[in-house]
Amino acid sequence: MNEMQKSYRLLREIKSQLPEDSWVIQAGDRHGGEFDDMPVLVHSGDLQLDNLDLDALEPPSPPEGAASGELFLLLVDGNLVVDGLIYNDHTDGAVGLIVTGNVSARRMVVGGQEIYVGGDLEISELFWGDYNHGELVVAGDASAPVWAETEGYRVRVRGRLDTAMRVTDWDEAVMGSEPLAGQSILSPDCRSDPDDATPDRNQELFSRAESLFIPEWQVYLRMHEAGGEQERGVLPEVSYAALARLTQPAWIPAEPYDEESYGYEIWRDDMFFRVLITADRPEASPSYRSVYYEQDEQCGILIETPTDGSEEVYIQVHLTQDEDSGWYVYDESEPGPWIKLHADGWRTLHEAMAVFESSATQLQAESIHELLAMPLIAPYDDYYDDDRNGFWMGDLYYAFRQADDEEGALLKVGREVEGPDEEMELACFYYEAQRQLDGSEIVFISYMEDEDNDEDIELSYVGGARLEEAIRLFHIARKRLLQANAELLSGQLPFDADRFATKYWRKQGYLAGRLP
């Protein structure tokens, strides 16, 4: 941490170092230099601090000729890096901050003064500017996962502002139009009132190491930051290491692909992928690894190892539109559709598996098993019976499938959407607990826009906004199902249930004496 240089000056002495378009200069000069004799604290060069409390910056004694004993402004003539919090609690006439370079911090909670950043502003968790006596100017770009401007706070960002949620009223940062509609993004212990979305402005709260946000919001942020897929960059190298990564046991379902192999298939738009390994036993090192992809039925690319387990890699091409075509050694110097297919396919497969790896960490398979074990679900757990496979509760439809020797445990959550012909259709998200070859269990997520007519979209590979929506909806559905189950166990009928379900619950004693 750099020590702040305690150089107290009068504003008139350092005006040439301030941005000409800053409020301090503009307003002061309009009123005959009324701020010229105010005391300022100047730090020359880059500055790094653990935290910066603007309320605590007071000169030990006013500079000679100062019009006031209260500090007016902190000027950092360089870059400012704050590992934790930039903060002030007093939002009426607070100490100003001007930084000629870039500013970065974990959290920034300010208001009541001009803050001027001559470069970029990067906040890793929360920016909150409060009260109409405050203004932030950023000459470059600005970013923060949560960007809040409340009570008339003014913001001018001349570059690009990047944020996952922009808040003008904390009560708006709840379920509805926002990602977690219905609940505050803030942890309950961060709010001034448990029933209020507004955070407590206590400095100790914002200085703590723990996140301010509920886990569901942190999940949303990770998906937002991932952007659904990696940026397209340099083509990943075709190597044994890359092939081994694509065929790692954690990415391969435990259910055999065929009598000899384990693997998985992916569709991304019009591109098809098949990844296979062959091994004597599931836990054994593969004797063969391969990746195959094709597009538009023109040609196919096969990347494979020999069948003896050696680490050589071969690339072959097959003209799928020619029934008599065999396999040819891939030659990038020879023009043909396989050149673009290889570049696009190899990159796209890596992108799909990056999405898969990220999505596999978002939900826990234990959550699926927990829900399917509830008494609420018991009478509705015949997935292939049209009458007993699920129920409507509020605006969502829930269906359930218990795990057996052939299929994993599954939760389906559906809701009505307006189709292209203006008729209502049931759009469904599917969350399946899937056992992987390494013994782990992940939640595989897919989606159907119209359950009756559409093929499913494998969101765990595709990613994007629809996957983010699926993650958010799962947390909403889980919360509602747990609440309904709690109501049932307390003797209440949780929703307008079918007669057979009510009869079952009464027989089990959950509704004894409560209903006729």
Side-chain angles (χ1 to χ4, degrees), residues 482-494:
L482 289 173
Q483 178 61 37
N485 190 68
E487 292 174 2
L488 174 64
L489 296 181
S490 69
Q492 304 175 56
L493 190 63

Side-chain angles (χ1 to χ4, degrees), residues 218-220 222-223 355 357-364 443 445 467 471 474-475:
Q218 296 174 58
V219 166
Y220 173 80
R222 287 196 296 272
M223 300 303 298
V355 172
E357 188 173 31
S358 174
S359 68
T361 67
Q362 307 305 313
L363 302 179
Q364 301 301 313
V443 177
I445 306 171
L467 177 59
I471 300 293
F474 177 85
H475 289 293

Side-chain angles (χ1 to χ4, degrees), residues 5 25 86 118 258 285 309 453 459 473 516:
Q5 299 173 10
I25 298 295
I86 300 174
D258 55 32
S285 179
N453 299 312
L459 298 181
L473 187 63

